[in-house]
Amino acid sequence: MLLHKIRQWSGIQRRLYPEPEDLKIKEDKIHSSMMSHFVMVHGASHGAWCWFKVRALLETSGYKVTCLDLTSAGIDRTDPNTVFTLEEYNKPLINLLHNLPHNEKVILVGHSIGGLNVTDAINRFGYGKIHTAVYVAADMSDRRTEDVKVLFPATINQGAAQNGISPDMFELEYALGPHQFPTSIMVKKEYQRELYYHMSPVEDSTLASMVLKPAPARVFACAPFEGGPPDAAKVRRVYVRTLNDHAFKLENQDAMIAKCNPSQVFNIDSEHCPFFSNPLVLSGLLVQLAASIN
């Protein structure tokens, strides 16, 4: 049983904040939370496929799990060079949430830049559809303040430099002309394991290298949010720090946390992609959050 395995692992720790009260979960509490519905949102270049380990663990424990492809990602055949707005990119997630009943107890889980999609959904639906948002090494900024622009500058070079990444590691396409902002971006194959998967099984990083796709760069650079419904502030926001991350440096994750003030922060001993390198601990953390929903 997943719960039994979770108790054998001690990789989940909170940040420099209060320690977890008690990682042991009572069986009756788990059963009361089975209505929780996990909706998994991938990051740039990835797709629904990247959650396969976490999905299997959660479904084995009785939870409903939906993994989706954003526009141009995964098996969606839209050309990323034609996707310019967050509204268009996030349409699959918005359509899914729109069609769910209000008693679904949705837990949105966003990885990396997929945090933008999660925040967009919160601003559209609020607490009426979304109970908890989990940001896994993710962008949780609201893109409304000048301080956030320091964390997420709108140029590839500056953004890469902040994380100690050479711009030469990226493949860029300029469908609107060489003097315009890139229309798509992707980490070059020879750098993918170093940046994303250096702690993951080689089989997983090999699979990823075969299915990663260019991502719509303009969406990430120009994704402002407008004010959401009044109950959006009630959505519980949780951040998961990845302690050995080469793509989103820990100091930048901490700057994000300081600016955005999530209600809970956890640590995972992982690189940028814990769904490959530490899926059991990540799944265990998600089970804890689901069990805490009355």
Side-chain angles (χ1 to χ4, degrees):
M1 183 177 180
L2 176 58
L3 177 59
H4 176 71
K5 294 180 181 178
I6 294 165
R7 290 171 179 165
Q8 297 176 334
W9 287 64
S10 57
I12 301 178
Q13 306 164 349
R14 298 223 185 174
R15 56 165 176 165
L16 307 173
Y17 301 88
E19 292 293 320
E21 295 178 3
D22 185 359
L23 297 184
K24 294 182 179 180
I25 308 169
K26 294 181 179 179
E27 294 293 332
D28 57 349
K29 200 170 186 180
I30 291 181
H31 292 314
S32 71
S33 67
M34 285 302 174
M35 286 182 63
S36 295
H37 178 184
F38 290 99
V39 177
M40 319 300 284
V41 183
H42 61 79
S45 294
H46 291 70
W49 55 267
C50 72
W51 298 106
F52 75 96
K53 291 183 176 181
V54 173
R55 176 176 177 172
L57 288 166
L58 292 175
E59 288 185 339
T60 298
S61 295
Y63 292 94
K64 182 178 180 179
V65 184
T66 299
C67 306
L68 50 79
D69 290 322
L70 299 171
T71 304
S72 80
I75 62 173
D76 186 283
R77 302 184 68 176
T78 306
D79 182 351
N81 294 289
T82 65
V83 181
F84 299 148
T85 66
L86 181 61
E87 180 178 10
E88 183 179 3
Y89 182 58
N90 211 19
K91 191 174 295 184
L93 176 60
I94 300 308
N95 289 344
L96 171 72
L97 293 173
H98 177 77
N99 291 315
L100 290 179
H102 282 271
N103 63 347
E104 198 73 3
K105 290 186 179 178
V106 171
I107 299 177
L108 274 184
V109 183
H111 174 246
S112 194
I113 202 69
L116 290 177
N117 303 84
V118 170
T119 302
D120 180 45
I122 293 172
N123 285 342
R124 290 174 182 269
F125 295 101
Y127 193 71
K129 284 286 181 77
I130 303 164
H131 183 281
T132 299
V134 184
Y135 295 82
V136 182
D139 181 345
M140 70 181 305
S141 64
D142 60 12
R143 298 292 178 99
R144 292 194 194 97
T145 66
E146 291 301 318
D147 331 0
V148 174
K149 292 181 181 178
V150 176
L151 290 174
F152 294 93
T155 71
I156 299 299
N157 289 349
Q158 289 176 331
Q162 282 190 348
N163 281 288
I165 301 171
S166 168
D168 294 335
M169 293 182 173
F170 297 103
E171 292 179 358
L172 304 174
E173 290 191 55
Y174 296 83
L176 299 181
H179 302 298
Q180 300 294 319
F181 194 86
T183 49
S184 69
I185 182 171
M186 182 175 176
V187 174
K188 293 178 180 177
K189 191 175 292 289
E190 60 266 34
Y191 300 115
Q192 289 169 2
R193 182 166 176 83
E194 176 185 346
L195 285 182
Y196 291 150
Y197 317 117
H198 67 94
M199 295 175 66
S200 295
V202 172
E203 295 88 346
D204 292 338
S205 61
T206 301
L207 170 65
S209 71
M210 298 168 65
V211 293
L212 288 176
K213 296 172 63 176
R218 297 177 74 89
V219 168
F220 309 137
C222 310
F225 297 122
E226 299 186 5
D231 65 353
K234 293 177 62 179
V235 176
R236 177 175 56 166
R237 291 169 170 84
V238 177
Y239 200 89
V240 180
R241 298 166 79 235
T242 43
L243 301 182
N244 300 285
D245 201 319
H246 290 177
F248 189 13
K249 298 292 186 180
L250 198 56
E251 56 265 33
N252 291 328
Q253 294 182 49
D254 289 339
M256 171 77 66
I257 291 166
K259 297 291 182 185
C260 301
N261 194 29
S263 60
Q264 291 175 284
V265 180
F266 292 91
N267 292 341
I268 287 188
D269 185 18
S270 167
E271 18 82 311
H272 191 57
C273 297
F275 42 73
F276 285 163
S277 62
N278 214 338
L280 188 59
V281 171
L282 178 58
S283 301
L285 184 155
L286 296 176
V287 167
Q288 292 176 56
L289 293 173
S292 69
I293 298 176
N294 294 325

